Amino acid sequence: MGGGPGRPALPAGAATVFLTLRDTAADLSVPVTCPRDVADRPGLALTEGARVLVRARPDYYIARGSFSLRATEIRAVGLGELLARIERIRGLLAAEGLFDAVRKRPLPFAPAVVGLVTGKDSAAERDVLVTARRRWPAVRFAVQHCVVQGPSAAGEVMAALQRLDRDPEVAVIVLARGGGSVEDLLPFSDEGLVRAIAACRTPVVTAVGHETDTTLVDHVADVRAATPTDAAHRVVPEIGEQRRLVDGLRARALALVTGRLDQQQRWLDQVRSRPAIAEPQRLLAGRDDDVAALRLRATRTLVHRVDLAVRDLEHARARVTTLSPQATLERGYALVQTADGGLVRDPDDVADGQALAVRVAGGRIPVRVDRQDGQP
């Protein structure tokens, strides 16, 4: 049964939901009751004016003469059914984790080449190109034109997206389309297109519809822009702002370097003002006398030690001379030696007629033993 505008009553915690089903062609309304799980079915939005298809059995109360319907199933029709299908797909992809924030990749800064998937000669294309080039004149675009509405739109957008993703020069991809009805934007909620964006190695920015429009590609994209113009603002920096930033950094660096140089100059001036650096010759003044005194002291010490060593040597020489056998011989003593040089200490050690030598201070005297009456 088709239904027109109705006002549901959904009291919190109630097991039964009461609503009114109105016919859009006749002035007729029927009260409807249903279990809460029927009214709360995922993707079903029972709001004022929602168009629904109801499967129910009639209830007639004889006592009050009232007629109502007991609904066992309620489904959205038209736009409601379309939104419910999109919601089911969204729930499925979300459960797979395709919309998780951890999968979002940061956009590159000042990309050299930006890929753009959009309709040919569309306002969205013009907004992206004009805005981006005004903000960053050096940016280049790799544009892929395709159908962005109708049964073939999802496939063409997917193919264009994959071509740009294979291009190594493309640093970021923008998917742009102007606003439209839910039916017009339906290709951008296609499950295959959503999975293709999730599989892209290149970061993707979506700018589909107006700010209030939301499609499934907006959930899976790395960045969702409110409009194509906003997408251009997000993918490229503003050159004037970057120049101001660079000028600020340059001024800051100059101030830091100048401050450091001033600090080092002050330190150097302090060091140079010290007497040892400012007048080093003052350290040498008066040192000549110190050096001369030290030299004289060293000379005296050395001479004194040499004199002591000479006297010690003379004393040792005198002692050696005194103890020398030659000195004994010079006092008149003599040494008696045999022919082989041995000393004779006892008369009994020599035989009669044996040749001997007598050594005196002046030299050697050869002698021969001649014993008379037993005396040598």
Side-chain angles (χ1 to χ4, degrees):
M1 176 178 179
R7 183 179 300 278
L10 304 175
T16 301
V17 177
F18 299 85
L19 52 97
T20 301
L21 189 66
R22 294 190 178 94
D23 195 303
T24 58
D27 186 11
L28 176 66
S29 62
V30 179
V32 179
T33 62
C34 65
R36 175 164 290 277
D37 58 349
V38 173
D40 291 344
R41 188 169 63 87
L44 179 63
L46 292 179
T47 59
E48 179 72 23
R51 297 179 62 86
V52 296
L53 181 66
V54 178
R55 175 179 296 178
R57 63 179 179 82
D59 282 335
Y60 179 70
Y61 295 92
I62 299 177
R64 296 197 303 269
S66 62
F67 176 81
S68 64
L69 296 176
R70 181 72 175 176
T72 58
E73 182 182 0
I74 301 177
R75 290 187 301 166
V77 297
L79 179 59
E81 185 177 9
L82 181 61
L83 293 176
R85 182 162 60 87
I86 293 176
E87 179 62 23
R88 288 194 296 272
I89 297 175
R90 190 201 67 78
L92 173 65
L93 298 177
E96 294 183 21
L98 297 186
F99 303 157
D100 292 348
V102 295
R103 299 186 70 257
K104 310 296 183 182
R105 292 161 295 186
L107 301 183
F109 176 79
V113 179
V114 175
L116 177 60
V117 179
T118 187
K120 186 176 182 180
D121 298 328
S122 63
E125 178 184 9
R126 182 174 60 257
D127 290 344
V128 173
L129 296 181
V130 172
T131 304
R133 287 168 178 165
R134 183 180 64 248
R135 288 173 57 84
W136 194 259
V139 67
R140 293 183 291 119
F141 278 90
V143 182
Q144 291 288 326
H145 294 123
C146 58
V147 176
V148 292
Q149 183 176 333
S152 63
E156 290 193 24
V157 172
M158 194 183 312
L161 191 72
Q162 292 170 348
R163 285 194 296 270
L164 290 176
D165 189 43
R166 290 193 296 267
D167 189 341
E169 293 187 350
V170 175
V172 61
I173 300 174
V174 176
L175 180 57
R177 187 205 188 280
S181 65
V182 175
E183 292 83 353
D184 293 339
L185 300 179
L186 184 60
F188 296 93
S189 292
D190 181 80
E191 180 179 353
L193 178 57
V194 173
R195 293 186 183 277
I197 293 176
C200 281
R201 295 171 299 177
T202 310
V204 177
V205 178
T206 57
V208 178
H210 299 297
E211 186 173 357
T212 56
D213 296 326
T214 302
T215 59
L216 294 186
V217 295
D218 294 325
H219 295 291
V220 75
D222 297 288
V223 174
R224 188 253 177 177
T227 61
T229 300
D230 182 45
H233 281 266
R234 290 175 178 267
V235 297
V236 295
E238 203 277 317
I239 188 169
E241 179 182 350
Q242 296 305 313
R243 283 174 176 171
R244 290 190 293 273
L245 177 62
V246 171
D247 291 341
L249 293 175
R250 182 183 291 114
R252 182 180 177 186
L254 180 61
L256 290 174
V257 172
T258 302
R260 187 61 181 271
L261 290 176
D262 291 342
Q263 178 185 4
Q264 295 301 313
Q265 184 63 48
R266 289 193 296 271
W267 175 83
L268 182 60
D269 293 340
Q270 292 176 358
V271 171
R272 293 177 60 184
S273 65
R274 296 176 183 175
I277 303 299
E279 299 182 62
Q281 64 275 12
R282 292 180 56 184
L283 297 176
L284 302 178
R287 295 301 181 182
D288 292 344
D289 297 339
D290 294 340
V291 172
L294 291 174
R295 182 183 291 115
L296 179 59
R297 181 179 176 183
T299 301
R300 290 176 179 175
T301 301
L302 182 60
V303 170
H304 177 68
R305 293 195 175 185
V306 170
D307 290 343
L308 289 178
V310 170
R311 286 196 295 271
D312 291 343
L313 181 59
E314 290 178 349
H315 291 163
R317 182 181 295 163
R319 292 178 59 188
V320 170
T321 301
T322 302
L323 297 176
S324 172
Q326 182 66 29
T328 303
L329 295 178
E330 289 179 353
R331 290 199 302 270
Y333 291 93
L335 294 176
V336 180
Q337 296 177 305
T338 60
D340 56 4
L343 293 177
V344 178
R345 295 181 174 82
D346 193 322
D348 294 335
D349 293 340
V350 297
D352 189 23
Q354 181 178 350
L356 299 175
V358 178
R359 183 175 179 180
V360 296
R364 296 169 59 87
I365 303 173
V367 298
R368 185 175 297 278
V369 179
D370 184 10
R371 296 179 185 274
Q372 293 181 5
D373 298 329
Q375 297 294 327

